[in-house]
Amino acid sequence: KAGVTQTPRYLIKTRGQQVTLSCSPISGHRSVSWYQQTPGQGLQFLFEYFSETQRNKGNFPGRFSGRQFSNSRSEMNVSTLELGDSALYLCASRKLGTSYEQYFGPGTRLTVT
Amino acid sequence: DQQVKQNSPSLSVQEGRISILNCDYTNSMFDYFLWYKKYPAEGPTFLISISSIKDKNEDGRFTVFLNKSAKHLSLHIVPSQPGDSAVYFCATQTNSGYALNFGKGTSLLVTP
């Protein structure tokens, strides 16, 4: 069974630009969550989607947004990039129901210059 | 405010011995506790979990213990192997939302 895939794996952007990251969950998993990992703050929850609706949101500014498609694939967008947005962005999928475990993709390393 | 704390940034253990990784949390509303292992440049890999109604869960070499009164969680790895060298994160969840709250991680080094 294929795992969670994320594209692209690496990205370099300039301050002020915007970026879109993509995530394909494990087949059969309908929930997708996004996390940001930085050396200072560690792993922090951004948001969760299932049934194409945002169900939960972390403490991040409105520049961070996402969406989910009918095939459960998800994208997250960061607008007006700041230097502090440089991070590893991780996507995790979960099978709805009684399962609590989330399975992570390899991440997208975003560098903002 | 850090709700999940892993107070040991690093741990070094000899191959074959027991590794004990600790985690403390502040919110008594957490219902589910998970451990993840992470190698550099990869996403976290799910290891083992435990719900708040249990105090122990085993899976092969990995055992997680939960002490709710102390709000303390630990992961035991027996016997430790060099391939276990990685950063270990504990994470918590409530059953009203599935956001994972992560600790800052403990870097485990298992030496031959």
Side-chain angles (χ1 to χ4, degrees):
Chain A
K1 197 172 187 180
V4 177
T5 58
Q6 292 186 244
T7 56
R9 292 293 311 276
Y10 302 92
L11 206 48
I12 299 175
K13 289 286 188 178
T14 304
R15 203 168 32 176
Q17 289 186 314
Q18 74 165 15
V19 67
T20 299
L21 312 181
S22 181
C23 172
S24 292
I26 292 171
S27 177
H29 286 199
R30 291 172 50 207
S31 162
V32 173
S33 296
W34 289 89
Y35 293 83
Q36 181 197 65
Q37 185 183 26
T38 59
Q41 298 300 317
L43 277 152
Q44 292 187 291
F45 171 75
L46 279 156
F47 27 65
E48 180 192 15
Y49 286 85
F50 65 86
S51 297
E52 302 175 61
T53 302
Q54 187 181 91
R55 302 293 179 170
N56 203 354
K57 190 176 191 317
N59 189 24
F60 278 83
R63 298 185 299 107
F64 292 81
S65 63
R67 60 176 175 166
Q68 187 181 35
F69 302 94
S70 58
N71 62 358
S72 297
R73 193 176 69 83
S74 177
E75 290 180 346
M76 70 163 279
N77 185 276
V78 188
S79 62
T80 320
L81 283 165
E82 301 177 359
L83 296 178
D85 297 333
S86 295
L88 181 66
Y89 289 89
L90 292 156
C91 167
S93 75
R94 179 174 65 87
K95 188 173 179 181
L96 295 182
T98 57
S99 171
Y100 284 79
E101 290 88 18
Q102 296 183 30
Y103 296 87
F104 285 83
T108 294
R109 171 69 64 185
L110 172 65
T111 302
V112 182
T113 62
Chain B
D1 182 30
Q2 192 78 18
Q3 296 191 74
V4 181
K5 293 183 181 177
Q6 293 177 257
N7 291 320
S8 299
S10 63
L11 176 67
S12 183
V13 171
Q14 277 192 314
E15 182 178 6
R17 307 292 288 263
I18 183 171
S19 294
I20 300 177
L21 297 104
N22 294 302
C23 179
D24 296 299
Y25 60 95
T26 58
N27 189 342
S28 58
M29 299 298 290
F30 290 137
D31 298 295
Y32 214 69
F33 305 86
L34 307 92
W35 283 95
Y36 285 84
K37 171 181 174 180
K38 188 178 184 302
Y39 295 114
E42 293 184 14
T45 301
F46 170 71
L47 273 178
I48 191 169
S49 61
I50 187 168
S51 79
S52 59
I53 62 172
K54 295 186 175 182
D55 54 19
K56 178 182 173 182
N57 188 26
E58 272 182 276
D59 184 1
R61 297 187 298 114
F62 301 92
T63 303
V64 56
F65 295 92
L66 177 62
N67 182 334
K68 288 187 291 293
S69 60
K71 296 192 183 70
H72 181 81
L73 186 69
S74 64
L75 174 68
H76 293 208
I77 306 173
V78 185
S80 301
Q81 299 172 353
D84 296 330
S85 298
V87 178
Y88 289 77
F89 292 93
C90 71
T92 63
Q93 257 181 356
T94 66
N95 64 7
S96 59
Y98 293 96
L100 288 170
N101 303 281
F102 282 92
K104 291 288 181 78
T106 296
S107 179
L108 173 65
L109 177 65
V110 181
T111 56

